[in-house]
């Protein structure tokens, strides 16, 4: 987890105990229950299913562990990857080799202890190819937001990637200069930390679509996919 010693950030503190929490999922009520291990406390959270890993094959013939997020997507662990979201990924090899998994019944931003409510999951996914658009890093669109992602260590570089990508995207969507888009993103963005525990950290930059004055995003692909 993010609050314990790692090989990259070693300390002299003893390791945390190896323990497991079992969550009770109630699909009928749309909830999941956490029972504390060291007391009689119990908490009920809303289900918020998402996939931690969504990606394609990396460029350049590279091979990465499925735990590693990057420009190809992968284990970004962002709760934004829930039902109703459209994820845009650049195609690096013939056939793209799309894959996804790491089902989470819910997860807080940052996944701070290293795990979500991990679970098996049945998912329905619609795939399509969008031509004439360049997507250097994964992007996400929902009804309310457009989002860019950055995955790197240190986390400030993940932040820089996500925000740089958003500045370029806003310039593309609005026709504004890079400088004006930089100022726009500085005032309008939300920046949740997706994960602070993987081999690369992931940061998301979000802009409300209400700010975009109807600018078309990927030719309206999100709305077309929703209609299927």
């Amino acid at each position: 987890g993010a609050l314990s010693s790692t090989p990259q950030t070693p300390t002299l503190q003893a390791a945390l105990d190896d323990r497991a929490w079992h969550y009770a999922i109630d699909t009928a009520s749309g909830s999941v229950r956490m029972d504390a291990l060291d007391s009689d406390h119990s908490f009920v959270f809303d289900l918020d299913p998402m996939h931690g890993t969504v990606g394609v094959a990396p460029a350049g013939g590279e091979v990465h562990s499925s735990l590693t997020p990057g420009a190809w997507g992968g284990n970004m662990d962002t709760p934004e990857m829930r039902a109703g979201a459209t994820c845009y990924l650049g195609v690096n090899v013939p056939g793209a080799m799309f894959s996804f998994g790491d089902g989470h019944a819910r997860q807080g931003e940052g996944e701070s202890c290293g795990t979500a409510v991990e679970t098996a999951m049945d998912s329905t996914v619609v795939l399509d190819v969008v031509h004439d658009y360049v997507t250097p890093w994964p992007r996400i669109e929902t009804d309310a937001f457009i989002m860019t992602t950055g995955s790197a260590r240190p986390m400030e570089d993940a932040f820089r990637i996500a925000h740089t990508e958003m500045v370029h995207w806003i310039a593309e969507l609005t026709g504004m200069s890079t400088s004006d888009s930089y100022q726009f993103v500085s005032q309008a963005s939300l920046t949740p930390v997706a994960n602070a525990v993987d081999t690369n950290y992931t940061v998301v930059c979000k802009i409300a679509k209400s700010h975009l004055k109807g600018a078309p995003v990927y030719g309206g692909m999100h709305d077309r996919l929703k209609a299927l």
Side-chain angles (χ1 to χ4, degrees), residues 153-168:
R153 286 198 184 200
M155 189 175 292
E156 64 190 84
D157 283 348
F159 176 96
R160 288 182 175 123
I161 293 167
H163 277 247
T164 297
E165 289 298 308
M166 183 59 78
V167 169
H168 290 317

PDB file of all heavy atoms in Angstrom, residues 153-168:
ATOM      1  N   ARG A 153       6.228   7.486 -12.342  1.00  0.00           N
ATOM      2  CA  ARG A 153       6.803   7.803 -11.041  1.00  0.00           C
ATOM      3  C   ARG A 153       7.927   8.799 -11.273  1.00  0.00           C
ATOM      4  O   ARG A 153       8.698   8.629 -12.211  1.00  0.00           O
ATOM      5  CB  ARG A 153       7.350   6.547 -10.347  1.00  0.00           C
ATOM      6  CG  ARG A 153       6.273   5.636  -9.786  1.00  0.00           C
ATOM      7  CD  ARG A 153       6.878   4.687  -8.769  1.00  0.00           C
ATOM      8  NE  ARG A 153       5.901   3.727  -8.284  1.00  0.00           N
ATOM      9  CZ  ARG A 153       6.021   3.034  -7.148  1.00  0.00           C
ATOM     10  NH1 ARG A 153       7.082   3.211  -6.382  1.00  0.00           N
ATOM     11  NH2 ARG A 153       5.120   2.165  -6.783  1.00  0.00           N
ATOM     12  N   PRO A 154       8.047   9.835 -10.457  1.00  0.00           N
ATOM     13  CA  PRO A 154       7.215  10.201  -9.309  1.00  0.00           C
ATOM     14  C   PRO A 154       5.831  10.678  -9.747  1.00  0.00           C
ATOM     15  O   PRO A 154       5.588  10.931 -10.922  1.00  0.00           O
ATOM     16  CB  PRO A 154       8.013  11.325  -8.643  1.00  0.00           C
ATOM     17  CG  PRO A 154       8.734  11.969  -9.770  1.00  0.00           C
ATOM     18  CD  PRO A 154       9.107  10.853 -10.686  1.00  0.00           C
ATOM     19  N   MET A 155       4.939  10.840  -8.750  1.00  0.00           N
ATOM     20  CA  MET A 155       3.571  11.206  -9.058  1.00  0.00           C
ATOM     21  C   MET A 155       3.468  12.560  -9.752  1.00  0.00           C
ATOM     22  O   MET A 155       2.559  12.789 -10.542  1.00  0.00           O
ATOM     23  CB  MET A 155       2.717  11.183  -7.785  1.00  0.00           C
ATOM     24  CG  MET A 155       1.231  11.333  -8.061  1.00  0.00           C
ATOM     25  SD  MET A 155       0.210  11.178  -6.587  1.00  0.00           S
ATOM     26  CE  MET A 155       0.440   9.456  -6.195  1.00  0.00           C
ATOM     27  N   GLU A 156       4.400  13.473  -9.479  1.00  0.00           N
ATOM     28  CA  GLU A 156       4.332  14.781 -10.136  1.00  0.00           C
ATOM     29  C   GLU A 156       4.473  14.634 -11.647  1.00  0.00           C
ATOM     30  O   GLU A 156       3.898  15.429 -12.410  1.00  0.00           O
ATOM     31  CB  GLU A 156       5.400  15.725  -9.591  1.00  0.00           C
ATOM     32  CG  GLU A 156       6.819  15.294  -9.861  1.00  0.00           C
ATOM     33  CD  GLU A 156       7.824  16.135  -9.097  1.00  0.00           C
ATOM     34  OE1 GLU A 156       8.074  15.820  -7.916  1.00  0.00           O
ATOM     35  OE2 GLU A 156       8.334  17.104  -9.673  1.00  0.00           O
ATOM     36  N   ASP A 157       5.194  13.609 -12.118  1.00  0.00           N
ATOM     37  CA  ASP A 157       5.286  13.397 -13.556  1.00  0.00           C
ATOM     38  C   ASP A 157       3.973  12.857 -14.112  1.00  0.00           C
ATOM     39  O   ASP A 157       3.576  13.198 -15.237  1.00  0.00           O
ATOM     40  CB  ASP A 157       6.434  12.442 -13.883  1.00  0.00           C
ATOM     41  CG  ASP A 157       7.785  13.122 -13.795  1.00  0.00           C
ATOM     42  OD1 ASP A 157       7.820  14.368 -13.715  1.00  0.00           O
ATOM     43  OD2 ASP A 157       8.810  12.419 -13.803  1.00  0.00           O
ATOM     44  N   ALA A 158       3.274  12.011 -13.346  1.00  0.00           N
ATOM     45  CA  ALA A 158       1.945  11.564 -13.758  1.00  0.00           C
ATOM     46  C   ALA A 158       0.995  12.753 -13.853  1.00  0.00           C
ATOM     47  O   ALA A 158       0.187  12.856 -14.787  1.00  0.00           O
ATOM     48  CB  ALA A 158       1.410  10.521 -12.775  1.00  0.00           C
ATOM     49  N   PHE A 159       1.099  13.665 -12.898  1.00  0.00           N
ATOM     50  CA  PHE A 159       0.306  14.898 -12.929  1.00  0.00           C
ATOM     51  C   PHE A 159       0.627  15.698 -14.192  1.00  0.00           C
ATOM     52  O   PHE A 159      -0.275  16.174 -14.895  1.00  0.00           O
ATOM     53  CB  PHE A 159       0.606  15.727 -11.687  1.00  0.00           C
ATOM     54  CG  PHE A 159      -0.083  17.066 -11.639  1.00  0.00           C
ATOM     55  CD1 PHE A 159      -1.274  17.236 -10.949  1.00  0.00           C
ATOM     56  CD2 PHE A 159       0.467  18.175 -12.282  1.00  0.00           C
ATOM     57  CE1 PHE A 159      -1.899  18.471 -10.899  1.00  0.00           C
ATOM     58  CE2 PHE A 159      -0.152  19.409 -12.241  1.00  0.00           C
ATOM     59  CZ  PHE A 159      -1.340  19.563 -11.548  1.00  0.00           C
ATOM     60  N   ARG A 160       1.914  15.852 -14.480  1.00  0.00           N
ATOM     61  CA  ARG A 160       2.327  16.645 -15.636  1.00  0.00           C
ATOM     62  C   ARG A 160       1.812  16.040 -16.941  1.00  0.00           C
ATOM     63  O   ARG A 160       1.356  16.751 -17.840  1.00  0.00           O
ATOM     64  CB  ARG A 160       3.848  16.752 -15.680  1.00  0.00           C
ATOM     65  CG  ARG A 160       4.441  17.659 -14.609  1.00  0.00           C
ATOM     66  CD  ARG A 160       5.951  17.734 -14.767  1.00  0.00           C
ATOM     67  NE  ARG A 160       6.546  18.686 -13.834  1.00  0.00           N
ATOM     68  CZ  ARG A 160       7.482  18.376 -12.954  1.00  0.00           C
ATOM     69  NH1 ARG A 160       7.918  17.126 -12.873  1.00  0.00           N
ATOM     70  NH2 ARG A 160       7.985  19.292 -12.154  1.00  0.00           N
ATOM     71  N   ILE A 161       1.910  14.717 -17.050  1.00  0.00           N
ATOM     72  CA  ILE A 161       1.431  14.063 -18.272  1.00  0.00           C
ATOM     73  C   ILE A 161      -0.062  14.303 -18.446  1.00  0.00           C
ATOM     74  O   ILE A 161      -0.524  14.703 -19.530  1.00  0.00           O
ATOM     75  CB  ILE A 161       1.728  12.557 -18.225  1.00  0.00           C
ATOM     76  CG1 ILE A 161       3.230  12.305 -18.272  1.00  0.00           C
ATOM     77  CG2 ILE A 161       1.043  11.841 -19.394  1.00  0.00           C
ATOM     78  CD1 ILE A 161       3.626  10.878 -17.918  1.00  0.00           C
ATOM     79  N   ALA A 162      -0.853  14.057 -17.392  1.00  0.00           N
ATOM     80  CA  ALA A 162      -2.305  14.213 -17.494  1.00  0.00           C
ATOM     81  C   ALA A 162      -2.689  15.635 -17.852  1.00  0.00           C
ATOM     82  O   ALA A 162      -3.553  15.873 -18.701  1.00  0.00           O
ATOM     83  CB  ALA A 162      -2.970  13.796 -16.178  1.00  0.00           C
ATOM     84  N   HIS A 163      -2.025  16.621 -17.238  1.00  0.00           N
ATOM     85  CA  HIS A 163      -2.383  18.010 -17.499  1.00  0.00           C
ATOM     86  C   HIS A 163      -1.868  18.492 -18.855  1.00  0.00           C
ATOM     87  O   HIS A 163      -2.551  19.261 -19.545  1.00  0.00           O
ATOM     88  CB  HIS A 163      -1.891  18.902 -16.359  1.00  0.00           C
ATOM     89  CG  HIS A 163      -2.823  18.919 -15.189  1.00  0.00           C
ATOM     90  ND1 HIS A 163      -3.537  20.033 -14.812  1.00  0.00           N
ATOM     91  CD2 HIS A 163      -3.197  17.938 -14.330  1.00  0.00           C
ATOM     92  CE1 HIS A 163      -4.293  19.749 -13.783  1.00  0.00           C
ATOM     93  NE2 HIS A 163      -4.097  18.476 -13.459  1.00  0.00           N
ATOM     94  N   THR A 164      -0.685  18.039 -19.245  1.00  0.00           N
ATOM     95  CA  THR A 164      -0.192  18.396 -20.580  1.00  0.00           C
ATOM     96  C   THR A 164      -1.126  17.851 -21.655  1.00  0.00           C
ATOM     97  O   THR A 164      -1.467  18.558 -22.625  1.00  0.00           O
ATOM     98  CB  THR A 164       1.228  17.843 -20.788  1.00  0.00           C
ATOM     99  OG1 THR A 164       2.114  18.451 -19.855  1.00  0.00           O
ATOM    100  CG2 THR A 164       1.729  18.125 -22.198  1.00  0.00           C
ATOM    101  N   GLU A 165      -1.549  16.602 -21.489  1.00  0.00           N
ATOM    102  CA  GLU A 165      -2.468  16.017 -22.454  1.00  0.00           C
ATOM    103  C   GLU A 165      -3.792  16.771 -22.498  1.00  0.00           C
ATOM    104  O   GLU A 165      -4.376  16.967 -23.570  1.00  0.00           O
ATOM    105  CB  GLU A 165      -2.714  14.545 -22.108  1.00  0.00           C
ATOM    106  CG  GLU A 165      -1.528  13.640 -22.380  1.00  0.00           C
ATOM    107  CD  GLU A 165      -1.156  13.633 -23.844  1.00  0.00           C
ATOM    108  OE1 GLU A 165      -2.039  13.391 -24.693  1.00  0.00           O
ATOM    109  OE2 GLU A 165       0.028  13.892 -24.165  1.00  0.00           O
ATOM    110  N   MET A 166      -4.274  17.217 -21.340  1.00  0.00           N
ATOM    111  CA  MET A 166      -5.527  17.967 -21.326  1.00  0.00           C
ATOM    112  C   MET A 166      -5.364  19.324 -21.994  1.00  0.00           C
ATOM    113  O   MET A 166      -6.255  19.782 -22.733  1.00  0.00           O
ATOM    114  CB  MET A 166      -6.040  18.127 -19.900  1.00  0.00           C
ATOM    115  CG  MET A 166      -7.394  18.839 -19.816  1.00  0.00           C
ATOM    116  SD  MET A 166      -8.740  17.997 -20.731  1.00  0.00           S
ATOM    117  CE  MET A 166      -9.147  16.675 -19.571  1.00  0.00           C
ATOM    118  N   VAL A 167      -4.248  20.004 -21.759  1.00  0.00           N
ATOM    119  CA  VAL A 167      -4.014  21.295 -22.415  1.00  0.00           C
ATOM    120  C   VAL A 167      -4.054  21.131 -23.932  1.00  0.00           C
ATOM    121  O   VAL A 167      -4.713  21.906 -24.649  1.00  0.00           O
ATOM    122  CB  VAL A 167      -2.671  21.898 -21.960  1.00  0.00           C
ATOM    123  CG1 VAL A 167      -2.293  23.091 -22.838  1.00  0.00           C
ATOM    124  CG2 VAL A 167      -2.754  22.333 -20.497  1.00  0.00           C
ATOM    125  N   HIS A 168      -3.381  20.111 -24.443  1.00  0.00           N
ATOM    126  CA  HIS A 168      -3.383  19.883 -25.888  1.00  0.00           C
ATOM    127  C   HIS A 168      -4.783  19.536 -26.398  1.00  0.00           C
ATOM    128  O   HIS A 168      -5.189  19.977 -27.484  1.00  0.00           O
ATOM    129  CB  HIS A 168      -2.409  18.765 -26.245  1.00  0.00           C
ATOM    130  CG  HIS A 168      -0.971  19.122 -26.071  1.00  0.00           C
ATOM    131  ND1 HIS A 168      -0.439  20.343 -26.460  1.00  0.00           N
ATOM    132  CD2 HIS A 168       0.071  18.420 -25.545  1.00  0.00           C
ATOM    133  CE1 HIS A 168       0.853  20.372 -26.190  1.00  0.00           C
ATOM    134  NE2 HIS A 168       1.187  19.224 -25.620  1.00  0.00           N
TER     135      HIS A 168
END
